[in-house]
Amino acid sequence: AARNEAQSRQLAAQSQALFDTNPELASLMAVSAYRTSPTAEARASLLRAADRKLVGLLPTEQEVTSLAFSPDGRTLASGGVDFVDGVGVVRLWDVETGQPQADLPSASDMVTSVAFSPDGETLASGSLDSTVRLWNVRTGQPHGEPLTHDDAVDSVAFSPDGKTLASGNTDFGTVHLWDLRSGQPLGDPFTHEGGVSSVAFSPDGETLASSTSPDGIENAEGKVHLWDVRSGQQRGEP
């Protein structure tokens, strides 16, 4: 412990000395110092690193409603009120250069949610046009036909094994599970009182969480529901 504390203080001192000449390296050293041992000196360096101005801004001119990093951290997907030739697009960015890589024509309306599959090879996008689209990230080509809802889709999430996609419906308050191999729904949708605003799988993929908004429903409350993915039954009370 004493050795780690000494090493942490040394890294923190080197970090402080480099901030004016090499802020990127100084920030990395501050993180390394704090991970080695959370000394007061390491914390001071880390706070200084966190106070740095943004390195750069991605040049998107329209409202962005959803972001997702690829698993390797090299690509960022953004979706929102971004249209090319009248079609809503998901834009892929090279994180290192800040330059756009591709525009995926994803919807006839605003893109509300984007998510990468665990292996990073597939991107899902949900839209106000009631569809979910799947894309091959490498080729930029769609995977099969769009998955259709009864109304706007506000959230999408992949299961940890990448075989299932969950999508939440804004107005009808439903969550659909999709078999990504066949493109078909898995069982009946999970139903809610209120629009579904977000969905997320547990790390083991056995539980799905879904949040609901009380908008437009008198005396309703925002809630989080937990679902058994295999049985489709709700786990306890919201």
Side-chain angles (χ1 to χ4, degrees):
R3 180 187 61 204
N4 287 344
E5 289 179 5
Q7 185 178 4
S8 173
R9 292 189 179 97
Q10 182 179 6
L11 286 168
Q14 293 172 333
S15 171
Q16 293 284 8
L18 286 170
F19 266 112
D20 292 332
T21 58
N22 194 338
E24 287 78 15
L25 178 58
S27 298
L28 291 172
M29 294 183 74
V31 172
S32 180
Y34 194 84
R35 286 178 174 172
T36 302
S37 181
T39 60
E41 293 85 352
R43 184 175 185 275
S45 293
L46 197 61
L47 290 174
R48 185 175 178 183
D51 198 40
R52 290 178 56 214
K53 294 182 179 180
L54 292 173
V55 174
L57 296 174
L58 302 182
T60 176
E61 298 178 357
Q62 303 297 329
E63 178 186 359
V64 176
T65 59
S66 184
L67 298 167
F69 276 103
S70 61
D72 63 9
R74 297 178 180 178
T75 303
L76 179 73
S78 65
V81 190
D82 209 344
F83 292 85
V84 175
D85 296 330
V87 178
V89 300
V90 172
R91 187 155 290 164
L92 300 182
W93 303 86
D94 184 309
V95 173
E96 184 175 352
T97 66
Q99 297 301 309
Q101 294 177 319
D103 288 338
L104 307 180
S106 297
S108 60
D109 206 329
M110 185 178 93
V111 175
T112 56
S113 184
V114 291
F116 280 96
S117 61
D119 61 10
E121 295 184 359
T122 304
L123 180 80
S125 64
S127 170
L128 292 184
D129 70 359
S130 308
T131 63
V132 175
R133 286 174 169 81
L134 300 172
W135 301 89
N136 183 308
V137 176
R138 294 183 181 180
T139 65
Q141 297 300 309
H143 272 316
E145 295 297 318
L147 312 177
T148 58
H149 274 252
D150 293 327
D151 206 87
V153 177
D154 217 34
S155 184
V156 293
F158 282 92
S159 62
D161 63 9
K163 297 179 180 179
T164 304
L165 184 79
S167 56
N169 184 280
T170 305
D171 291 335
F172 283 82
T174 57
V175 173
H176 294 255
L177 296 181
W178 305 88
D179 183 329
L180 294 179
R181 293 180 179 177
S182 66
Q184 297 300 311
L186 292 171
D188 295 327
F190 305 154
T191 58
H192 304 71
E193 182 185 48
V196 177
S197 56
S198 186
V199 291
F201 281 93
S202 62
D204 61 9
E206 295 184 0
T207 303
L208 181 79
S210 59
S211 63
T212 57
S213 167
D215 293 345
I217 299 179
E218 186 177 358
N219 299 323
E221 296 178 334
K223 297 178 180 179
V224 174
H225 301 254
L226 299 178
W227 304 88
D228 184 307
V229 173
R230 294 184 182 181
S231 68
Q233 299 300 308
Q234 188 168 316
R235 295 184 187 271
E237 294 299 315

